[in-house]
Amino acid sequence: MLTNILALQHPHFGAIAQAWLLSKAEAFIVMANGEVLASWPPYADANAITLESDIWVGHSKIGKLCVVGLQGEEAQARLQTQAALIAAIVQSTSVLRDVTTKLIDTQDQLVAIYDLTQAMRKEIDLDKVLKSLLFETVRLVKLGAAFIIIQRSNEPWITHQYPEEMLDTITLKGMLDLVGETEQYLLLSEEDEKGNGLAFRNLLLLPISLHDENQATLGFVNKLDGDFLFPDIKLAQAIADNVGARIENALLHNNRLKQAKMQTEMELAQQVQLNLLPHEMPVVPGVDFWASSCPASQVGGDFYDFLQLDNRPFTFTVGDISGKGMPAAILMAMTRTVIRSNIYDTTLHTPEYIVGRSNEHLYDDFTEVSMFATLFVGQYQPTKKKLLYANAGHSPVVYCPLGGTARLLEADGTAVGILPTSFSENQEIVFVPGDVLVVATDGLSEAYNKEEEMFGYDRLLALVEELAAKSAKDIAAELYRTVNEFSIGTPQFDDQTVMVLKGVPI
Amino acid sequence: MEIKTRRVDNVTILELNGRFDSHTMPPVRDILQKAVLEKPASIVVNLESVNFIDSAALSALVSGMKQSRQADGDLRLCNLQQPVRMIFELTRLDRVFEILSGEDAAIEAFNNQDSTITDQ
């Protein structure tokens, strides 16, 4: 300590020595630990010292000032004063050095945080942000390893570590138990009781609060150059504060990506479902046919279908799966397939059989998911001029004979999936040119207007009667138009499907 | 939608109010799922103040009815308004549910059934 001051302040020591020599002293010597550090003139005899004064810094003696050839109280007092002055200079220098060290540390930290921010700002992907955070942290704080755990409410945890696979899941979980309710940081070393058995020399854990009840923990393992000291903890806290916002941004970005992916999948599902509905209308002798469907959400539970097989009656179906969205859409695809397989059977089956068999096939699955499907299956044979149908809980089905009154063809059995056995039986109506059959779904009849009035069956019956002279396509279009006009300003709550059969001369 | 539940003579009673549809159905479904675990699983759903019911709501009632019957109980309905009654008739669910004109009658039906079982 004294050597440093002597080297730095050599000319001033020289001036003090000259003053002593002018006062007839033979020599001026600076000593520490029994050794001569400097003397004026050089190589003075340390054994001939006549006056000496110790230099005290705090409670330690760091050396002494000595004079050869002079004695007396006055000279002793002068030497003591100079020793005290040098002690004060040594102390000030030491304070200045501490301050400088701290300043450098702070600057280092600022540079570290800047580096870290720069490394992370290029990334928005959560995995990459965390990887870069841990890599930079290990480098800047000089660590054996670092890890981060993000606990998200109702979602799996995210954990990352650098170097990879250094800590197993159980160890990481143990870390979280240690952090517990800690608000600032938790510092553990192998000597601590809590740190025992951790197999780490030392460990610094910092909780990071995130939005939406999410919580992250940043862990610093094994400081390479000793213990975690105050500046390390300050740096760790600064890093933790900085990464919180980054993690939140990345989580938000992740959520957006997920939503975009779901949206794409939903659009794909919509495409698949749209392709399940026939677009080309069939040419059936004796029937002008039209059908279309309009789901309330992207995918829906309504469907229509028809099959024209050689030497078999023209078979058509309309169904409505309870509920909406993806679950309804999946069951709609399933129901359509089961019905088709019953129609395609080698034996010709009537609507009653098709509905009954479909119910048997679908009952367990529908019960499992607490859903059901209303179903209307019809068959038309041109030569017989009659229409055979079975109605499993489906409405509205409107029949309007030429020049007659429109009426509802009510179901005689419950929807598919409600009872293990279907009650629906074959029903028959005359179907000749001019007759109209409209098989719609309740999304149409139960559309609401702003005054909370339902479109209802009376309006529907009157409308079909009024439109009966038009073509199937026009009747369908007018039904949609009228209902949309009625419910203008209110959202479409349910899927809407309309199938129209109009009798025409063969 | 407002849902009131209470228990009278071992019967769980649900009183619903307003529009009973896919949006308001989930809490009713959750209550029913708990109610079917009671012994006996006797449930009455009072629809006096329900002016609209859609297929999602119907499926919640059907599911509650199926589960309660599996647990030797039943889910009965009472006080159906005309538009709601019409839905039950058109879907033929009036064949599946026991529908009564008043809450007391619905509770009474359970009690009579219980005493019949005791008598046997």
Side-chain angles (χ1 to χ4, degrees):
Chain A
M1 204 184 280
L2 191 57
T3 323
N4 289 340
I5 296 295
L6 198 58
L8 283 169
Q9 308 290 342
H10 199 268
H12 293 109
F13 277 87
I16 293 169
Q18 287 309 317
W20 279 107
L21 296 177
L22 283 172
S23 310
K24 308 286 185 216
E26 290 168 23
F28 177 75
I29 304 170
V30 182
M31 293 181 73
N33 301 323
E35 281 181 30
V36 175
L37 299 180
S39 79
W40 288 264
Y43 310 113
D45 184 3
N47 293 319
I49 289 166
T50 50
L51 284 176
E52 61 176 47
S53 183
D54 293 330
I55 305 165
W56 289 91
V57 173
H59 296 292
S60 53
K61 194 162 75 178
I62 62 161
K64 60 185 177 181
L65 300 181
C66 311
V67 167
V68 179
L70 282 182
Q71 277 179 327
E73 280 184 18
E74 196 187 326
Q76 179 66 40
R78 184 177 158 194
L79 192 62
Q80 268 179 2
T81 313
Q82 287 171 347
L85 197 67
I86 288 164
I89 292 171
V90 169
Q91 212 152 18
S92 309
T93 312
S94 154
V95 169
L96 187 68
R97 201 176 47 231
D98 282 353
V99 171
T100 312
T101 313
K102 277 185 186 160
L103 202 65
I104 290 168
D105 280 348
T106 311
Q107 200 182 3
D108 283 354
Q109 287 179 8
L110 283 174
V111 172
I113 296 287
Y114 177 75
D115 282 356
L116 191 68
T117 316
Q118 287 298 97
M120 290 196 303
R121 68 179 291 185
K122 293 173 196 150
E123 293 302 344
I124 189 74
D125 176 79
L126 184 65
D127 282 346
K128 287 180 181 167
V129 165
L130 296 179
K131 269 183 188 158
S132 125
L133 157 76
L134 296 176
F135 176 78
E136 293 295 330
T137 304
V138 164
R139 186 175 71 84
L140 295 167
V141 193
K142 299 184 183 70
L143 299 169
F147 64 85
I148 188 156
I149 307 167
I150 303 175
Q151 296 159 274
R152 294 177 300 168
S153 43
N154 307 323
E155 279 191 78
W157 295 2
I158 299 170
T159 60
H160 271 277
Q161 45 184 308
Y162 180 84
E164 278 173 30
E165 290 177 26
M166 204 182 133
L167 309 167
D168 56 42
T169 321
I170 296 168
T171 314
L172 287 174
K173 175 120 190 14
M175 305 277 183
L176 289 180
D177 292 342
L178 282 174
V179 175
E181 300 292 306
T182 307
E183 281 183 7
Q184 280 196 306
Y185 66 88
L186 186 69
L187 181 59
L188 295 168
S189 72
E190 55 191 348
E191 288 90 34
D192 296 335
E193 203 183 324
K194 268 188 167 178
N196 256 340
L198 274 182
F200 302 123
R201 200 160 39 72
N202 48 31
L203 174 69
L204 178 62
L205 296 172
L206 292 118
I208 304 169
S209 288
L210 303 171
H211 282 139
D212 302 333
E213 293 172 18
N214 293 333
Q215 167 82 35
T217 304
L218 189 58
F220 295 9
V221 183
N222 290 348
K223 178 99 171 87
L224 292 183
D225 51 1
D227 292 328
F228 286 105
L229 301 175
F230 188 64
D232 303 315
I233 295 168
K234 289 291 278 183
L235 175 60
Q237 282 181 321
I239 292 174
D241 288 347
N242 194 282
V243 298
R246 293 271 160 200
I247 292 173
E248 267 171 6
N249 274 347
L251 280 175
L252 201 69
H253 175 71
N254 260 15
N255 279 346
R256 282 193 192 137
L257 272 183
K258 214 186 276 176
Q259 273 171 7
K261 202 175 154 210
M262 270 176 68
Q263 180 65 28
T264 314
E265 281 172 6
M266 203 68 171
E267 279 163 15
L268 258 166
Q270 188 182 22
Q271 280 303 317
V272 171
Q273 198 179 32
L274 279 176
N275 288 332
L276 289 180
L277 300 176
H279 299 294
E280 292 280 315
M281 291 302 135
V283 179
V284 188
V287 174
D288 170 24
F289 183 94
W290 187 262
S292 66
S293 186
C294 176
S297 51
Q298 275 182 311
V299 288
D302 275 12
F303 71 97
Y304 64 85
D305 199 11
F306 52 79
L307 277 171
Q308 247 179 327
L309 303 174
D310 289 343
N311 304 317
R312 292 212 178 172
F314 171 66
T315 307
F316 54 95
T317 62
V318 173
D320 179 1
I321 316 290
S322 62
K324 289 189 282 285
M326 207 50 120
I330 293 167
L331 289 174
M332 167 257 172
M334 206 165 91
T335 309
R336 173 189 175 273
T337 309
V338 168
I339 295 168
R340 278 202 156 215
S341 68
N342 281 313
I343 301 175
Y344 271 121
D345 202 356
T346 44
T347 321
L348 168 65
H349 297 301
T350 64
E352 178 183 323
Y353 179 89
I354 295 166
V355 168
R357 286 289 289 170
S358 301
N359 183 64
E360 282 168 28
H361 284 141
L362 294 164
Y363 177 76
D364 286 344
D365 288 336
F366 271 93
T367 301
E368 191 70 34
V369 292
S370 302
M371 290 171 94
F372 59 77
T374 67
L375 199 62
F376 182 92
V377 178
Q379 272 175 353
Y380 173 74
Q381 200 132 26
T383 48
K384 289 185 181 166
K385 295 187 176 172
K386 277 184 181 166
L387 217 145
L388 198 63
Y389 71 87
N391 186 349
H394 191 87
S395 77
V397 183
V398 182
Y399 171 56
C400 184
L402 177 64
T405 318
R407 63 180 171 95
L408 285 173
L409 298 185
E410 289 183 22
D412 54 348
T414 51
V416 166
I418 289 181
L419 296 172
T421 313
S422 166
F423 286 125
S424 303
E425 290 175 358
N426 282 328
Q427 309 288 337
E428 201 175 59
I429 49 168
V430 175
F431 203 71
V432 293
D435 291 351
V436 172
L437 180 75
V438 175
V439 190
T441 55
D442 55 9
L444 209 83
S445 49
E446 290 170 11
Y448 269 76
N449 67 8
K450 276 198 274 194
E451 283 74 43
E452 297 202 347
E453 277 178 296
M454 197 165 82
F455 189 77
Y457 295 97
D458 292 341
R459 282 194 185 88
L460 184 68
L461 289 170
L463 188 60
V464 173
E465 227 173 270
E466 189 188 314
L467 299 171
K470 295 181 181 288
S471 70
K473 187 180 177 179
D474 288 350
I475 292 172
E478 276 300 301
L479 283 172
Y480 274 119
R481 198 190 58 77
T482 313
V483 170
N484 285 343
E485 219 170 74
F486 175 80
S487 57
I488 204 157
T490 60
Q492 184 191 337
F493 274 112
D494 203 355
D495 308 334
Q496 297 175 343
T497 297
V498 175
M499 180 182 273
V500 182
L501 284 85
K502 168 92 187 271
V504 289
I506 297 173
Chain B
M1 186 178 66
E2 207 183 328
I3 309 161
K4 282 188 206 157
T5 55
R6 58 206 156 84
R7 263 179 88 75
V8 177
D9 299 343
N10 281 333
V11 178
T12 305
I13 298 158
L14 263 82
E15 241 177 273
L16 311 180
N17 189 321
R19 202 182 151 90
F20 187 19
D21 60 15
S22 57
H23 299 285
T24 56
M25 173 274 276
V28 178
R29 180 193 56 203
D30 295 347
I31 293 169
L32 287 177
Q33 269 170 6
K34 274 187 201 145
V36 295
L37 301 175
E38 298 275 354
K39 297 269 186 277
S42 309
I43 305 162
V44 172
V45 180
N46 186 339
L47 296 170
E48 189 171 7
S49 306
V50 171
N51 49 18
F52 175 78
I53 191 160
D54 79 350
S55 61
L58 288 175
S59 60
L61 293 177
V62 168
S63 170
M65 178 269 292
K66 279 183 184 173
Q67 289 179 49
S68 60
R69 283 184 189 172
Q70 272 168 10
D72 296 327
D74 199 3
L75 183 155
R76 288 168 189 165
L77 306 171
C78 67
N79 301 338
L80 273 63
Q81 284 189 31
Q82 187 45 35
V84 175
R85 179 173 290 276
M86 197 159 102
I87 301 282
F88 275 86
E89 284 168 3
L90 286 171
T91 52
R92 276 285 166 250
L93 281 170
D94 57 343
R95 280 187 161 197
V96 180
F97 283 97
E98 192 164 339
I99 300 172
L100 294 121
S101 53
E103 199 175 287
D104 290 344
I107 298 167
E108 191 61 28
F110 277 117
N111 289 338
N112 288 341
Q113 188 185 19
D114 289 347
S115 59
T116 319
I117 291 165
T118 319
D119 290 346
Q120 282 169 351

Short mmCIF file of all heavy atoms in Angstrom, two decimals, chain B residues 1-7 12-17 28 31 44-46 49 103:
data_model
loop_
_atom_site.label_atom_id
_atom_site.label_comp_id
_atom_site.label_asym_id
_atom_site.label_seq_id
_atom_site.Cartn_x
_atom_site.Cartn_y
_atom_site.Cartn_z
N MET B 1 -78.23 -15.46 -18.52
CA MET B 1 -79.43 -16.14 -18.03
C MET B 1 -79.29 -16.41 -16.53
O MET B 1 -78.21 -16.75 -16.06
CB MET B 1 -79.61 -17.47 -18.76
CG MET B 1 -80.91 -18.14 -18.38
SD MET B 1 -81.18 -19.68 -19.27
CE MET B 1 -79.86 -20.67 -18.63
N GLU B 2 -80.38 -16.24 -15.82
CA GLU B 2 -80.36 -16.45 -14.38
C GLU B 2 -80.68 -17.91 -14.07
O GLU B 2 -81.58 -18.49 -14.68
CB GLU B 2 -81.42 -15.55 -13.75
CG GLU B 2 -81.11 -15.18 -12.32
CD GLU B 2 -82.23 -14.35 -11.71
OE1 GLU B 2 -82.88 -13.59 -12.47
OE2 GLU B 2 -82.45 -14.49 -10.52
N ILE B 3 -79.90 -18.52 -13.18
CA ILE B 3 -80.17 -19.91 -12.79
C ILE B 3 -80.31 -19.97 -11.28
O ILE B 3 -79.44 -19.50 -10.55
CB ILE B 3 -78.99 -20.84 -13.19
CG1 ILE B 3 -78.62 -20.65 -14.66
CG2 ILE B 3 -79.33 -22.29 -12.91
CD1 ILE B 3 -77.23 -21.16 -14.98
N LYS B 4 -81.43 -20.52 -10.82
CA LYS B 4 -81.61 -20.69 -9.36
C LYS B 4 -81.70 -22.18 -9.09
O LYS B 4 -82.43 -22.89 -9.80
CB LYS B 4 -82.89 -20.01 -8.91
CG LYS B 4 -82.77 -18.50 -8.77
CD LYS B 4 -84.02 -17.94 -8.13
CE LYS B 4 -84.22 -16.50 -8.55
NZ LYS B 4 -85.62 -16.08 -8.44
N THR B 5 -80.97 -22.65 -8.10
CA THR B 5 -81.11 -24.07 -7.75
C THR B 5 -81.49 -24.20 -6.29
O THR B 5 -81.10 -23.39 -5.46
CB THR B 5 -79.78 -24.84 -7.95
OG1 THR B 5 -78.77 -24.18 -7.21
CG2 THR B 5 -79.35 -24.92 -9.38
N ARG B 6 -82.28 -25.18 -6.00
CA ARG B 6 -82.60 -25.49 -4.60
C ARG B 6 -82.99 -26.95 -4.51
O ARG B 6 -83.17 -27.61 -5.55
CB ARG B 6 -83.72 -24.58 -4.06
CG ARG B 6 -84.99 -24.61 -4.80
CD ARG B 6 -85.75 -23.29 -4.62
NE ARG B 6 -86.65 -23.11 -5.74
CZ ARG B 6 -87.84 -23.65 -5.81
NH1 ARG B 6 -88.29 -24.40 -4.81
NH2 ARG B 6 -88.60 -23.49 -6.86
N ARG B 7 -83.06 -27.45 -3.28
CA ARG B 7 -83.45 -28.84 -3.10
C ARG B 7 -84.69 -28.91 -2.23
O ARG B 7 -84.76 -28.30 -1.17
CB ARG B 7 -82.31 -29.63 -2.47
CG ARG B 7 -81.48 -30.36 -3.52
CD ARG B 7 -80.34 -31.13 -2.92
NE ARG B 7 -80.69 -32.49 -2.52
CZ ARG B 7 -80.88 -33.50 -3.36
NH1 ARG B 7 -80.80 -33.31 -4.66
NH2 ARG B 7 -81.15 -34.72 -2.92
N THR B 12 -83.63 -32.03 -6.78
CA THR B 12 -82.90 -30.81 -7.16
C THR B 12 -83.76 -30.05 -8.16
O THR B 12 -84.20 -30.62 -9.16
CB THR B 12 -81.55 -31.16 -7.80
OG1 THR B 12 -80.83 -31.99 -6.91
CG2 THR B 12 -80.73 -29.91 -8.10
N ILE B 13 -84.00 -28.78 -7.85
CA ILE B 13 -84.84 -27.98 -8.75
C ILE B 13 -84.00 -26.87 -9.38
O ILE B 13 -83.30 -26.14 -8.68
CB ILE B 13 -86.04 -27.38 -7.99
CG1 ILE B 13 -86.90 -28.51 -7.44
CG2 ILE B 13 -86.88 -26.49 -8.91
CD1 ILE B 13 -87.76 -28.12 -6.30
N LEU B 14 -84.06 -26.80 -10.70
CA LEU B 14 -83.36 -25.73 -11.42
C LEU B 14 -84.42 -24.80 -12.00
O LEU B 14 -85.30 -25.25 -12.74
CB LEU B 14 -82.55 -26.31 -12.59
CG LEU B 14 -81.08 -26.58 -12.34
CD1 LEU B 14 -80.95 -27.92 -11.64
CD2 LEU B 14 -80.33 -26.59 -13.66
N GLU B 15 -84.31 -23.53 -11.67
CA GLU B 15 -85.22 -22.56 -12.26
C GLU B 15 -84.41 -21.71 -13.22
O GLU B 15 -83.45 -21.04 -12.82
CB GLU B 15 -85.75 -21.66 -11.14
CG GLU B 15 -87.25 -21.71 -10.97
CD GLU B 15 -87.66 -20.84 -9.81
OE1 GLU B 15 -87.65 -21.33 -8.66
OE2 GLU B 15 -87.95 -19.66 -10.06
N LEU B 16 -84.78 -21.75 -14.50
CA LEU B 16 -84.03 -20.99 -15.49
C LEU B 16 -84.84 -19.78 -15.94
O LEU B 16 -86.05 -19.77 -15.85
CB LEU B 16 -83.69 -21.87 -16.69
CG LEU B 16 -83.09 -23.24 -16.38
CD1 LEU B 16 -82.80 -23.99 -17.66
CD2 LEU B 16 -81.81 -23.08 -15.58
N ASN B 17 -84.10 -18.81 -16.45
CA ASN B 17 -84.76 -17.56 -16.78
C ASN B 17 -84.15 -16.96 -18.04
O ASN B 17 -82.93 -16.83 -18.13
CB ASN B 17 -84.50 -16.61 -15.58
CG ASN B 17 -85.30 -15.35 -15.68
OD1 ASN B 17 -85.46 -14.80 -16.77
ND2 ASN B 17 -85.79 -14.88 -14.55
N VAL B 28 -75.58 -24.41 -16.94
CA VAL B 28 -76.70 -25.34 -16.64
C VAL B 28 -76.18 -26.78 -16.76
O VAL B 28 -76.46 -27.63 -15.89
CB VAL B 28 -77.87 -25.12 -17.63
CG1 VAL B 28 -78.99 -26.10 -17.34
CG2 VAL B 28 -78.37 -23.68 -17.54
N ILE B 31 -74.20 -27.68 -13.71
CA ILE B 31 -75.05 -27.93 -12.53
C ILE B 31 -75.70 -29.31 -12.65
O ILE B 31 -75.74 -30.09 -11.70
CB ILE B 31 -76.13 -26.82 -12.37
CG1 ILE B 31 -75.45 -25.49 -12.03
CG2 ILE B 31 -77.15 -27.20 -11.32
CD1 ILE B 31 -76.36 -24.28 -12.11
N VAL B 44 -85.71 -31.58 -11.32
CA VAL B 44 -86.81 -30.90 -12.01
C VAL B 44 -86.26 -29.60 -12.59
O VAL B 44 -85.61 -28.83 -11.89
CB VAL B 44 -87.97 -30.57 -11.03
CG1 VAL B 44 -89.01 -29.68 -11.71
CG2 VAL B 44 -88.61 -31.84 -10.52
N VAL B 45 -86.47 -29.42 -13.90
CA VAL B 45 -86.05 -28.15 -14.51
C VAL B 45 -87.31 -27.35 -14.80
O VAL B 45 -88.17 -27.76 -15.58
CB VAL B 45 -85.22 -28.37 -15.78
CG1 VAL B 45 -84.81 -27.05 -16.39
CG2 VAL B 45 -83.99 -29.22 -15.49
N ASN B 46 -87.40 -26.21 -14.11
CA ASN B 46 -88.57 -25.34 -14.27
C ASN B 46 -88.27 -24.32 -15.38
O ASN B 46 -87.40 -23.47 -15.24
CB ASN B 46 -88.83 -24.64 -12.94
CG ASN B 46 -90.12 -23.84 -12.96
OD1 ASN B 46 -90.61 -23.48 -14.03
ND2 ASN B 46 -90.65 -23.55 -11.78
N SER B 49 -89.78 -19.37 -17.00
CA SER B 49 -89.31 -18.06 -17.49
C SER B 49 -88.38 -18.17 -18.68
O SER B 49 -87.63 -17.26 -18.98
CB SER B 49 -88.62 -17.31 -16.36
OG SER B 49 -89.46 -17.23 -15.25
N GLU B 103 -94.44 -27.17 -10.81
CA GLU B 103 -93.27 -27.68 -10.08
C GLU B 103 -93.70 -28.67 -8.99
O GLU B 103 -93.07 -29.71 -8.81
CB GLU B 103 -92.56 -26.47 -9.45
CG GLU B 103 -91.13 -26.76 -9.07
CD GLU B 103 -90.44 -25.50 -8.56
OE1 GLU B 103 -90.13 -24.62 -9.39
OE2 GLU B 103 -90.23 -25.39 -7.35
#
